[in-house]
Short mmCIF file of all heavy atoms in Angstrom, two decimals:
data_model
loop_
_atom_site.label_atom_id
_atom_site.label_comp_id
_atom_site.label_asym_id
_atom_site.label_seq_id
_atom_site.Cartn_x
_atom_site.Cartn_y
_atom_site.Cartn_z
N ALA A 37 125.68 107.88 173.97
CA ALA A 37 125.53 108.15 172.54
C ALA A 37 125.09 106.88 171.82
O ALA A 37 125.67 105.81 171.98
CB ALA A 37 126.86 108.64 171.97
N GLY A 38 124.03 107.03 171.02
CA GLY A 38 123.43 105.90 170.32
C GLY A 38 122.08 105.50 170.88
O GLY A 38 121.34 104.75 170.23
N GLN A 39 121.74 106.00 172.07
CA GLN A 39 120.45 105.66 172.66
C GLN A 39 119.34 106.56 172.11
O GLN A 39 119.59 107.54 171.41
CB GLN A 39 120.52 105.78 174.18
CG GLN A 39 121.39 104.70 174.82
CD GLN A 39 121.30 104.70 176.33
OE1 GLN A 39 121.53 105.72 176.98
NE2 GLN A 39 120.97 103.55 176.90
N PHE A 40 118.09 106.19 172.45
CA PHE A 40 116.94 106.95 171.95
C PHE A 40 115.97 107.25 173.08
O PHE A 40 116.05 106.68 174.17
CB PHE A 40 116.24 106.20 170.82
CG PHE A 40 115.67 104.84 171.20
CD1 PHE A 40 114.38 104.71 171.67
CD2 PHE A 40 116.44 103.69 171.07
CE1 PHE A 40 113.84 103.47 172.01
CE2 PHE A 40 115.94 102.44 171.40
CZ PHE A 40 114.63 102.33 171.88
N ILE A 41 115.07 108.20 172.80
CA ILE A 41 114.00 108.52 173.74
C ILE A 41 112.67 108.13 173.12
O ILE A 41 112.56 107.95 171.90
CB ILE A 41 113.99 110.01 174.14
CG1 ILE A 41 113.94 110.91 172.89
CG2 ILE A 41 115.19 110.37 174.99
CD1 ILE A 41 112.61 111.51 172.64
N MET A 42 111.66 107.97 173.97
CA MET A 42 110.32 107.66 173.52
C MET A 42 109.42 108.89 173.72
O MET A 42 109.43 109.51 174.78
CB MET A 42 109.75 106.48 174.31
CG MET A 42 108.57 105.82 173.65
SD MET A 42 109.10 104.69 172.35
CE MET A 42 109.77 103.33 173.30
N VAL A 43 108.69 109.24 172.68
CA VAL A 43 107.72 110.34 172.73
C VAL A 43 106.34 109.73 172.96
O VAL A 43 105.92 108.83 172.23
CB VAL A 43 107.73 111.15 171.43
CG1 VAL A 43 106.65 112.23 171.46
CG2 VAL A 43 109.10 111.76 171.19
N HIS A 44 105.64 110.21 173.98
CA HIS A 44 104.31 109.70 174.32
C HIS A 44 103.26 110.75 173.93
O HIS A 44 103.42 111.94 174.25
CB HIS A 44 104.22 109.41 175.82
CG HIS A 44 105.23 108.41 176.29
ND1 HIS A 44 104.97 107.07 176.40
CD2 HIS A 44 106.54 108.56 176.66
CE1 HIS A 44 106.04 106.42 176.82
NE2 HIS A 44 107.02 107.31 176.99
N PHE A 45 102.20 110.32 173.26
CA PHE A 45 101.17 111.26 172.82
C PHE A 45 99.87 110.51 172.58
O PHE A 45 99.82 109.28 172.52
CB PHE A 45 101.61 111.99 171.55
CG PHE A 45 101.81 111.08 170.36
CD1 PHE A 45 100.84 110.97 169.37
CD2 PHE A 45 102.98 110.33 170.21
CE1 PHE A 45 101.01 110.14 168.28
CE2 PHE A 45 103.17 109.50 169.11
CZ PHE A 45 102.18 109.41 168.15
N ASP A 46 98.78 111.28 172.48
CA ASP A 46 97.46 110.73 172.19
C ASP A 46 97.09 111.08 170.76
O ASP A 46 97.33 112.19 170.29
CB ASP A 46 96.40 111.30 173.14
CG ASP A 46 96.60 110.82 174.57
OD1 ASP A 46 97.00 109.66 174.75
OD2 ASP A 46 96.37 111.62 175.50
N SER A 47 96.49 110.12 170.07
CA SER A 47 96.02 110.34 168.71
C SER A 47 94.71 109.60 168.51
O SER A 47 94.65 108.38 168.69
CB SER A 47 97.06 109.84 167.70
OG SER A 47 96.59 109.96 166.37
N GLU A 48 93.67 110.36 168.20
CA GLU A 48 92.36 109.79 167.95
C GLU A 48 91.89 108.93 169.12
O GLU A 48 91.33 107.85 168.94
CB GLU A 48 92.37 108.98 166.65
CG GLU A 48 92.77 109.81 165.43
CD GLU A 48 92.99 108.96 164.18
OE1 GLU A 48 92.83 107.72 164.27
OE2 GLU A 48 93.32 109.54 163.13
#
Side-chain angles (χ1 to χ4, degrees):
Q39 291 188 305
F40 61 91
I41 54 105
M42 198 80 73
V43 176
H44 301 266
F45 63 100
D46 292 324
S47 176
E48 301 171 0

